Amino acid sequence: MYDKPLTVPTDLEILELLSTGDRQTPANVAAHLDHDSRYMSERLRNLEERGYIRDAPPADRSGMYELTKLGVIAAFHIHAYVRDYHNTFHARTEVILENQPENTFYPDLFAIDDADRTALHELNNVEGLTVPSELHIEIVHDAGYAPQTANEALYSLFYHGLAERVDNMDVYRITERGEKAVDLLFEDVTDPVELTDRLRETYTDDEMERVNIFVDEVR
C-alpha cells in the first residue's frame, strides 16, 4: 500500500483527462490542466508507480501516457475517492481487476467480500443517517471485525455506490442500489459478474453511457 494519498485535485484531474482515451505527454497534460510541465511529469511518474497509467506502446519510453486497466477502474470510481481512505480505494480497485471475467471488462464490477456484506446488512437495518460509532459497534461485535475493518467496509459500500457518504464525513446511509444489493445477496446472487449485471438495472442512462465509455478504453 501507499503511505501517501493521491494529490487532490491534480491526480484526479489527470485520471479524468486520460479517461477520454487520448494518449498524453506531460506537456499536453500541463497545458490541459494549467500546471507546470515539470510538476506534471512528477505526478505522472507517481501515477505510473501506482499502476494507474503506463508509457504508451509500442515505443520504449515514448513519453506518452495512457491508462492501464487498473487506471481505468480507478478513473471510473474517482468520484468516490476520499483522501483518508486512499489505501482502501487502491485495494478495492485492485480487487475489481483481480476478479475480472475472461472476455469482458467490467470497470464497475461489484466484488463484495464478507466485511462488505456485514456492513451492508447492518446499514440496511438502520433508518436514515447512521452514526458511524454505533454501526461500528454492531459490525465489530457481530462479525468480530476490527474497528478499522468496519470503517473500510463502510467506505467500500460508498465506493461501489451502495451507500451515500453524507457531507464528506464518516456518516452513511444506504442507497436504493444498496437496498437492491441486499435483496440480491439474500437471493444468493454472489457471483460478481451476475451481481453487477443485475445491479446495472438500477443505473441511469448516463451511468450506463459512462460504463460503456470506460469499457471502450480497454478494447
Side-chain angles (χ1 to χ4, degrees):
M1 293 298 177
Y2 294 91
D3 292 332
K4 292 184 179 179
L6 294 173
T7 297
V8 178
T10 307
D11 291 349
L12 313 190
E13 291 171 345
I14 293 171
L15 291 174
E16 287 279 14
L17 176 63
L18 291 174
S19 70
T20 62
D22 295 329
R23 297 172 174 181
Q24 300 286 355
T25 64
N28 283 347
V29 173
H32 277 291
L33 302 184
D34 195 24
H35 281 296
D36 176 74
S37 59
R38 186 178 303 173
Y39 177 60
M40 286 298 95
S41 293
E42 175 193 322
R43 298 317 312 153
L44 287 163
R45 282 194 299 272
N46 182 272
L47 291 172
E48 186 177 18
E49 288 171 3
R50 290 173 188 263
Y52 291 167
I53 66 174
R54 65 175 181 173
D55 199 64
D60 238 2
R61 304 313 300 176
S62 66
M64 301 192 73
Y65 289 92
E66 65 182 5
L67 292 177
T68 61
K69 285 185 178 181
L70 186 68
V72 170
I73 297 166
F76 182 83
H77 292 90
I78 205 65
H79 63 283
Y81 181 79
V82 175
R83 184 181 176 88
D84 289 345
Y85 291 97
H86 66 278
N87 279 333
T88 308
F89 178 90
H90 185 75
R92 300 311 303 178
T93 302
E94 287 186 319
V95 167
I96 291 176
L97 182 61
E98 291 164 2
N99 284 275
Q100 287 296 313
E102 233 176 89
N103 300 316
T104 312
F105 184 70
Y106 281 74
D108 55 332
L109 190 73
F110 288 86
I112 306 298
D113 63 21
D114 290 342
D116 296 336
R117 290 185 202 181
T118 302
L120 187 61
H121 174 74
E122 295 292 349
L123 197 59
N124 190 50
N125 289 335
V126 176
E127 289 187 13
L129 299 179
T130 302
V131 178
S133 58
E134 293 180 1
L135 190 63
H136 293 173
I137 290 170
E138 295 297 325
I139 295 172
V140 171
H141 180 268
D142 293 350
Y145 293 127
Q148 181 63 28
T149 303
N151 280 332
E152 292 170 355
L154 287 166
Y155 171 74
S156 178
L157 299 182
F158 169 68
Y159 174 96
H160 284 293
L162 303 179
E164 177 186 355
R165 195 167 183 266
V166 182
D167 294 333
N168 202 31
M169 298 187 297
D170 280 341
V171 179
Y172 297 88
R173 62 181 160 215
I174 197 166
T175 61
E176 290 185 10
R177 187 166 300 152
E179 292 173 347
K180 174 76 169 176
V182 170
D183 292 339
L184 291 171
L185 292 169
F186 181 77
E187 295 169 11
D188 207 27
V189 178
T190 57
D191 175 73
V193 171
E194 183 181 2
L195 184 60
T196 303
D197 286 338
R198 296 287 297 275
L199 286 174
R200 280 181 177 180
E201 296 170 8
T202 69
Y203 286 17
T204 64
D205 290 343
D206 286 346
E207 285 175 317
M208 272 312 305
E209 182 180 356
R210 190 162 183 267
V211 168
N212 292 330
I213 289 171
F214 280 84
V215 169
D216 287 342
E217 282 288 296
V218 298
R219 285 178 179 166

